[in-house]
Amino acid sequence: MQITFVQAVLITLFSVFSNLMFPLFGDIGGYFGIGRPLVAGTIVGAILGDIKTGMLIGATLNAVYMNSQAVGNVMSSDVTMAGYTATALAMAGGSDTAMALALSIPIGIFGALLFTAQNAVCVFVSHWCDKYAEKGDTRSMWIFGIIIPAIIFNAIRFLTTFPVIYYGAQYSSAIEAWMPEAVTNAMGVVGGILPAVGMALLLKVMVTKPSHWCFFLFGFIAYAVLGIGSVPLTILAIVVAIILDELRNKNSDDTLESLE
Amino acid sequence: MSENMKKLTNADLRKSWLIWLNFCCLSNNWERMQNIDWALAMAPSLRKLYPNDDAAFAERLTAHMEFFNTQPTVGCAILGIVNAMEEEKANGKDIPSEAISSIKSSMMGPLAGIGDSVMNSLIEVILMSIAMTMAYQGNVLGPILYMIAWVAVSLFVSWYLMRRGYELGVDSISVLSSNAMARLVEGLTDVGLVVIGGLTATYVALSTSLEISVVDADSTAVQGVLDGIMPGLLPLGVTLLSYWLLAKKKVSPMALILILFVVGTVLSLLGIC
């Protein structure tokens, strides 16, 4: 599949909109919104004219990079840049999910390095703003503290992402054609097991006591063996959680309503 | 209430909220993190509270340029509280600048923890899991519903906390650290883990093409035997192995991705998978 100039510009723009330094309700609309690989893949698919393929590649990327967030600003991989660029290149080269996964690793690391560098540059920005704050000059704080850094950082993201998508697409189909069947099969196996990383990362954060494993196994068996769909499964889980909460706090005076 | 009491309106709070949410991740820096946007988010309220006193305005603005870092959505509670404190201070109540600083610095850590776990690890994951399972079945509504639900929930939670923080002021701390909050986290964790179990079964895939021959009989596919025990045994094994490497062996996520890349390739080339 060829990626035209206009398509490459559009994909790059969405990739820029989803980074943390673009004001889209902070991380709500961007990083955790259109920046999630599932949404990114769907948008890339829509731009390239095959929405379902893009969505499926994005969904698998999302499984691998599930719960990837910048805790305390430390980012191990910039999934927003990886999601858009890797999905676009994989679609250009024959829509191979494993190819998208392989590409997402170096791209994600590059994006994270860029973010780290931006944070370093902004140390100076913060010191300039001190001087304006002492004069009560919020206008200059906006211009030098927010607007100019935003323009520069987002321009850098655009200028580094665009050539990778536009020129990279021409190579990815050539690579796809050259790849021997054994490698394609191996990539299929890799694409199947990599989502285990995302799941394991979530488990690492969420399992805080041994009994938590019961809930995980319950969900796994409900889908793998009993075939319960995701919406009924979620409702079932909420029902169980509420019953358990009642049982655990039978003798407690404060209820969830006290949050009001 | 006296005639010249200065009062922040809903519109003032909304302005502060919008500036904070939109720009909190911009100009993030390693020295004082979100300080620039925090000061700018407080600026419209401070201007209103000190309309004619430029010196006091500049002094309060400078005070807000100190280190600040929290999770944006849940951190709105702090913004609400600090707006309320600044209002009281401007109305002559004896609130030293250090009191405001210490509220900010004592709340930002705990609230970042709540925000990262409740918003980004629980609510996001639960919504995303439903969307991803829909997407797996080829349903484009999955990502669309995710976007709508996620943005709606996040904006609602952040504005609600902003309002509550402003209304309750310093008293909000007791609500946020109450037993009810811990129960909410516990309940969401239970739901999240069930959903992740289902997601693991959907997205992690591994099967073996190995065959074993029992004496004199036809060869038996190992996968058939495994499925006879329980479907999805291999994917479950890979996931638990990954968990063990990440949590117990302290392997980094990027290293784990590379390990699985190599292992998967080798298993495939050897004809095992």
Side-chain angles (χ1 to χ4, degrees), chain A residues 25-26 32 130 145 192 245 254, chain B residues 21-22 27 31-32 138 146 183 205:
Chain A
F25 292 118
F32 286 107
D130 279 341
D245 179 70
D254 53 33
Chain B
L21 264 195
N22 268 311
S27 322
E31 190 187 52
R32 281 173 285 166
Y146 167 77
R183 284 169 63 184

Side-chain angles (χ1 to χ4, degrees), chain A residues 81-121:
Chain A
M81 193 185 258
Y84 281 96
T85 314
T87 309
L89 290 181
M91 283 186 76
S95 302
D96 192 58
T97 305
M99 188 178 182
L101 285 170
L103 287 167
S104 73
I105 299 170
I107 299 168
I109 292 174
F110 173 78
L113 287 176
L114 203 57
F115 184 69
T116 308
Q118 288 167 338
N119 277 278
V121 171

Side-chain angles (χ1 to χ4, degrees), chain A residues 12-38:
Chain A
T12 310
L13 278 178
F14 272 103
S15 158
V16 170
F17 294 161
S18 64
N19 99 83
L20 275 175
M21 299 248 174
F22 192 85
L24 216 61
F25 292 118
D27 60 0
I28 296 173
Y31 196 80
F32 286 107
I34 59 171
R36 290 286 96 174
L38 172 67

Side-chain angles (χ1 to χ4, degrees), chain A residues 127-207:
Chain A
H127 281 274
W128 294 334
C129 285
D130 279 341
K131 283 183 210 137
Y132 299 125
E134 277 158 25
K135 290 180 212 145
D137 181 2
T138 48
R139 194 166 164 269
S140 298
M141 281 173 75
W142 272 108
I143 293 171
F144 295 103
I146 302 283
I147 296 170
I148 290 179
I151 291 171
I152 293 175
F153 294 143
N154 288 306
I156 290 174
R157 282 198 173 247
F158 187 93
L159 294 175
T160 49
T161 309
F162 175 77
V164 176
I165 293 175
Y166 187 59
Y167 296 106
Q170 296 161 11
Y171 295 105
S172 57
S173 46
I175 293 170
E176 184 78 16
W178 160 86
M179 256 210 279
E181 205 194 326
V183 177
T184 312
N185 289 341
M187 289 300 106
V189 174
V190 170
I193 58 175
L194 276 188
V197 178
M199 302 303 126
L201 271 174
L202 281 176
L203 290 170
K204 187 186 165 196
V205 179
M206 291 170 73
V207 175

Side-chain angles (χ1 to χ4, degrees), chain A residues 20 25-26 28 32 36 52 59 67 73 116 119 122 126-127 130 145 186 192 206 219-220 245 248-249 254 260, chain B residues 21-22 25 27-32 35 121-122 124 138 143 146 150 164 183 190 194 197 203 205 232 243 257 268:
Chain A
L20 275 175
F25 292 118
I28 296 173
F32 286 107
R36 290 286 96 174
K52 271 194 183 155
N67 195 36
N73 266 20
T116 308
N119 277 278
C122 282
S126 167
H127 281 274
D130 279 341
M206 291 170 73
F220 186 88
D245 179 70
R248 281 189 199 119
N249 299 282
D254 53 33
E260 292 296 315
Chain B
L21 264 195
N22 268 311
C25 303
S27 322
N28 239 314
N29 61 82
W30 293 121
E31 190 187 52
R32 281 173 285 166
N35 67 329
S121 294
L122 295 173
E124 195 260 345
Y146 167 77
W150 165 251
R164 294 299 282 181
R183 284 169 63 184
D190 295 347
V194 172
Y203 274 93
Y243 170 82
I257 287 178
S268 170

Side-chain angles (χ1 to χ4, degrees), chain A residues 6-87:
Chain A
V6 177
Q7 284 170 329
V9 168
L10 280 174
I11 295 170
T12 310
L13 278 178
F14 272 103
S15 158
V16 170
F17 294 161
S18 64
N19 99 83
L20 275 175
M21 299 248 174
F22 192 85
L24 216 61
F25 292 118
D27 60 0
I28 296 173
Y31 196 80
F32 286 107
I34 59 171
R36 290 286 96 174
L38 172 67
V39 185
T42 311
I43 291 172
V44 171
I47 292 171
L48 294 181
D50 187 353
I51 194 162
K52 271 194 183 155
T53 304
M55 178 178 73
L56 285 172
I57 295 174
T60 308
L61 278 173
N62 209 123
V64 178
Y65 292 101
M66 201 81 186
N67 195 36
S68 134
Q69 47 175 302
V71 174
N73 266 20
V74 179
M75 200 189 264
S76 59
S77 174
D78 186 340
V79 288
T80 67
M81 193 185 258
Y84 281 96
T85 314
T87 309

Side-chain angles (χ1 to χ4, degrees), chain B residues 132-187:
Chain B
M132 279 170 67
T133 320
M134 289 171 84
Y136 191 78
Q137 293 151 353
N139 191 342
V140 185
L141 272 177
I144 296 171
L145 287 179
Y146 167 77
M147 273 308 283
I148 295 171
W150 165 251
V151 172
V153 168
S154 299
L155 292 184
F156 173 80
V157 168
S158 62
W159 176 243
Y160 174 81
L161 288 175
M162 174 93 191
R163 280 294 323 178
R164 294 299 282 181
Y166 174 75
E167 284 157 13
L168 293 174
V170 185
D171 295 337
S172 338
I173 297 170
S174 60
V175 176
L176 284 163
S177 57
S178 71
N179 189 31
M181 193 67 212
R183 284 169 63 184
L184 186 69
V185 172
E186 183 67 37

